[in-house]
Amino acid sequence: MGAIDEWLPAIGDEFSKDYYKQLAKFVNWEYQQHTVYPPKDEIFSAFRLTPLSKVKVVILGQDPYHEPNQAHGLCFSVRPGTEIPPSLVNIYKELQDDLGCYIPNNGYLVKWAEQGVLLLNTLLTVRAHVAFSHKGAGWERFTDAVIEALNRENRPIVFLLWGSPAQRKAEMLNNPNHLILKAPHPSPLSAYRGFFGCKHFSKANRFLQEHGETPIDWQIENI
């Protein structure tokens, strides 16, 4: 757990609760018995790369990618050398349309995380090849506690809620300091329903600048 020390004052109590102890047992057993993603030492990468005090933007995903060499602890992000998944292709298309970013040759989003974009999946582990296989094991309760901690922060944070599962978290976000932006999910099934053209990236940057924060440089560079 050392990777997320800066988050501990806000969410550290979760680790001693019964549900989390059960979750930890379940996850450990899964890693012993099956191939599970992301690698165990990367489950909390989003927290390690984006300390609570540095969070400016939150992007909520659902389930980690469940094929080899994809998931590394940041939602929508894949390792260099891995084909860019369809939803991220559409995120890049919207970035190009919104801010003029070129479409890079990789889907490695660590640059965003290091600038204060918390790339949070609501489930933090998944069994290989089986989407949502760790649903209901306790991760939802843990990541809800994270969202509640973010809601309590009395500084401007932008929440990008794409698709109905992410949008359902909006009822937890009642702090007037924050900006909540909603759009359909960027997946090929729904992006054309209003994700394309949502301009969330420029809106987020405008809000940050209006509140004296440095905007996010959304351009992921070619490798």
Side-chain angles (χ1 to χ4, degrees):
M1 297 303 172
I4 59 171
D5 286 349
E6 210 210 284
W7 286 84
L8 291 180
I11 60 169
D13 288 351
E14 300 303 307
F15 297 121
S16 56
K17 292 180 180 175
D18 285 343
Y19 88 88
Y20 191 88
K21 290 174 185 170
Q22 293 300 316
L23 169 63
K25 261 188 220 163
F26 166 78
V27 169
N28 282 330
W29 187 87
E30 284 279 301
Y31 274 97
Q32 286 165 18
Q33 302 293 323
H34 303 280
T35 301
V36 174
Y37 301 121
K40 207 171 187 181
D41 62 350
E42 295 186 326
I43 293 174
F44 295 107
S45 287
F47 302 93
R48 190 178 69 248
L49 289 165
T50 316
L52 177 57
S53 63
K54 302 286 195 295
V55 175
K56 294 178 178 180
V57 178
V58 179
I59 298 179
L60 275 186
Q62 286 180 264
D63 198 34
Y65 296 124
H66 52 263
E67 296 303 326
N69 299 314
Q70 291 186 315
H72 64 103
L74 305 180
C75 73
F76 293 108
S77 181
V78 291
R79 298 171 183 285
T82 304
E83 187 178 354
I84 302 171
S87 291
L88 185 52
V89 168
N90 286 338
I91 290 169
Y92 284 163
K93 284 179 183 167
E94 175 58 22
L95 268 170
Q96 186 176 46
D97 183 59
D98 186 10
L99 291 172
C101 295
Y102 69 81
I103 296 189
N105 62 4
N106 68 92
Y108 193 53
L109 305 181
V110 165
K111 177 182 174 181
W112 293 358
E114 289 175 338
Q115 294 179 82
V117 181
L118 183 68
L119 295 165
L120 179 68
N121 278 317
T122 50
L123 306 173
L124 299 189
T125 54
V126 66
R127 194 187 295 180
H129 318 303
V130 189
F132 294 106
S133 44
H134 290 180
K135 195 172 196 262
W139 281 129
E140 297 92 337
R141 186 166 165 188
F142 177 76
T143 52
D144 277 357
V146 173
I147 293 166
E148 286 166 356
L150 290 159
N151 181 59
R152 291 193 297 269
E153 290 288 296
N154 282 320
R155 55 197 173 79
I157 297 175
V158 184
F159 291 83
L160 304 185
L161 306 181
W162 300 334
S164 50
Q167 288 172 22
R168 283 197 285 276
K169 304 296 182 185
E171 61 196 40
M172 300 162 65
L173 302 171
N174 56 11
N175 186 329
N177 289 295
H178 304 324
L179 175 66
I180 319 293
L181 296 175
K182 299 178 186 177
H185 196 275
S187 89
L189 296 171
S190 54
Y192 64 91
R193 294 193 196 126
F195 177 78
F196 290 137
C198 71
K199 303 210 178 298
H200 278 187
F201 304 101
S202 59
K203 287 174 181 172
N205 276 356
R206 195 173 309 121
F207 178 81
L208 291 171
Q209 286 176 295
E210 284 168 358
H211 291 84
E213 296 282 351
T214 312
I216 306 297
D217 175 7
W218 293 102
Q219 179 68 69
I220 298 294
E221 281 87 15
N222 285 334
I223 291 178

